[in-house]
Amino acid sequence: MQHPILLVGNDINNISRGQSWKDLLQEILTFCGTNCVQLDDKKPFPLLYEEIFLTAIQQSHIRERDLKGFIAKKIGDITPNELHARIRELKPAHVLTTNYEYTLEGSTPEQHSSLIKERTFSIFRKYTLHNTEYWHIHGDCLNPMSINLGFEHYGGQLQQMRNYVVSGTTYSSPQAPRLPLLQRLKHGPVSTYSWLDLFFTKDIHILGLSLDFVETDLWWLLTYRARQKFQRNTIPVHNKLYYYIPSEFEKAAAFKLDMLKANDVQIVSISAANKTAYYVEVLKRIKEK
């Protein structure tokens, strides 16, 4: 495949040595000075973040800018591994990522290449390196307040996404497209202003992303795209979405895979001896398509 388009999640970072997510959560609690928040796997992380932050406000009057700055610094210390280099070797046209750091780019970008500069949300957030466009769809470490962690931020991000696709943007910048994506799609090929354009126009390979149901923004996007294709049929939707999963997790994740299939996502199950071998095979399959 020439210059594929990838959506990459955090699991590829788990091959790198370093602190675990649980360790990071404990450090966040220490930084906030909260001693009454209980870490529990049953708590959805966006709501756990709100619990930590709101408790910290009441106990120590912490500012969210300081908290997110601390988190950005910690996440920015993630060590690159061979998979990040292998992804760059594919020479992808676009890499969409929910990750905040720049291990995929291979270096910290000097400046953004977005259509407009966003402070909080991430509709246009993009960096271009070596002819690949990297879209940080949940924020990035250079802009700590853009890092999408809490329930409030997810709600705002989804609002901006729906505006862009359905009703039109509310950005004051004259460079932001005024017509919603749906209208532009009706009149022929569209320019790629946002990562959202790609979800309706290009084949996308999804890897290293658990797609937990707390990712309400992405599940809305998948559902809306599928409804346009199968229910409303008002715009052409001919692109394909591929979701890669290790075969060993397929049975336990059957409930989620069923939902992905209903939303027009093709499941690619791969067997491998270990995590690194699995991702090497995923990238090989993408290259061969």
Side-chain angles (χ1 to χ4, degrees):
M1 167 178 268
Q2 292 294 318
H3 308 302
I5 297 173
L6 313 177
L7 169 54
V8 183
N10 185 65
D11 191 53
I12 64 164
N13 290 341
N14 291 333
I15 294 173
S16 300
R17 293 183 178 181
Q19 67 178 180
S20 67
W21 181 245
K22 188 173 182 179
D23 292 336
L24 177 58
L25 286 176
Q26 194 58 58
E27 289 195 24
I28 292 172
L29 290 178
T30 302
F31 176 81
C32 291
T34 56
N35 53 18
C36 59
V37 174
Q38 298 298 315
L39 300 181
D40 190 322
D41 292 340
K42 296 185 182 67
K43 295 179 179 179
F45 179 73
L47 287 173
L48 173 61
Y49 173 83
E50 298 293 351
E51 181 186 5
I52 294 171
F53 174 58
L54 292 171
T55 302
I57 287 179
Q58 297 171 66
Q59 290 187 351
S60 55
H61 306 288
I62 193 171
R63 297 189 308 169
E64 189 168 26
R65 181 175 299 278
D66 295 333
L67 173 56
K68 286 195 171 183
F70 171 79
I71 294 171
K73 184 178 185 305
K74 288 293 179 180
I75 293 173
D77 291 337
I78 292 175
T79 305
N81 60 55
E82 65 173 281
L83 294 177
H84 301 109
R86 285 178 179 269
I87 287 172
R88 290 193 294 274
E89 288 171 5
L90 280 181
K91 300 187 184 304
H94 301 270
V95 175
L96 290 63
T97 182
T98 54
N99 301 346
Y100 314 119
E101 86 299 331
Y102 311 102
T103 48
L104 286 162
E105 287 93 331
S107 60
T108 301
E110 294 184 3
Q111 61 182 16
H112 72 85
S113 55
S114 315
L115 185 69
I116 64 173
K117 184 176 181 179
E118 297 170 291
R119 297 183 183 278
T120 305
F121 302 114
S122 301
I123 305 303
F124 306 101
R125 189 174 304 281
K126 180 180 68 171
Y127 299 95
T128 304
L129 285 86
H130 308 298
N131 297 317
T132 296
E133 297 188 330
Y134 295 89
W135 304 84
H136 286 264
I137 69 177
H138 281 172
D140 69 286
C141 287
L142 285 177
N143 303 275
M145 286 304 292
S146 73
I147 294 178
N148 192 352
L149 295 167
F151 204 64
E152 162 65 15
H153 202 141
Y154 269 96
Q157 173 78 359
L158 178 51
Q159 181 180 24
Q160 296 299 327
M161 288 169 59
R162 200 174 195 285
N163 287 346
Y164 183 87
V165 174
V166 181
S167 60
T169 64
T170 57
Y171 290 90
S172 59
S173 171
Q175 297 185 75
R178 289 291 172 259
L179 285 177
L181 176 58
L182 288 187
Q183 290 294 322
R184 291 188 284 125
L185 285 169
K186 289 179 181 179
H187 297 100
V190 299
S191 300
T192 304
Y193 299 125
S194 165
W195 61 273
L196 291 161
D197 299 315
L198 301 171
F199 259 86
F200 292 84
T201 59
K202 303 294 184 182
D203 294 352
I204 299 178
H205 301 266
I206 306 170
L207 59 145
L209 184 65
S210 65
L211 266 178
D212 291 335
F213 297 135
V214 298
E215 306 282 9
T216 50
D217 54 342
L218 293 178
W219 278 102
W220 171 82
L221 184 60
L222 293 175
T223 301
Y224 193 85
R225 174 186 174 275
R227 280 178 174 265
Q228 287 298 320
K229 182 172 183 176
F230 299 123
Q231 179 193 22
R232 301 188 178 99
N233 199 27
T234 55
I235 59 171
V237 180
H238 303 304
N239 64 317
K240 296 180 180 180
L241 306 178
Y242 301 93
Y243 182 79
Y244 293 83
I245 184 171
S247 299
E248 62 188 287
F249 299 142
E250 194 171 5
K251 184 176 180 180
F255 67 100
K256 180 170 63 180
L257 300 182
D258 288 342
M259 294 184 181
L260 287 170
K261 291 172 187 175
N263 282 282
D264 193 42
V265 178
Q266 298 185 29
I267 308 301
V268 184
S269 175
I270 294 177
S271 298
N274 54 56
K275 190 185 290 286
T276 300
Y278 163 74
Y279 282 113
V280 169
E281 180 62 23
V282 168
L283 297 178
K284 178 184 174 185
R285 298 273 189 99
I286 293 173
K287 184 176 181 179
E288 291 173 349
K289 278 191 179 293

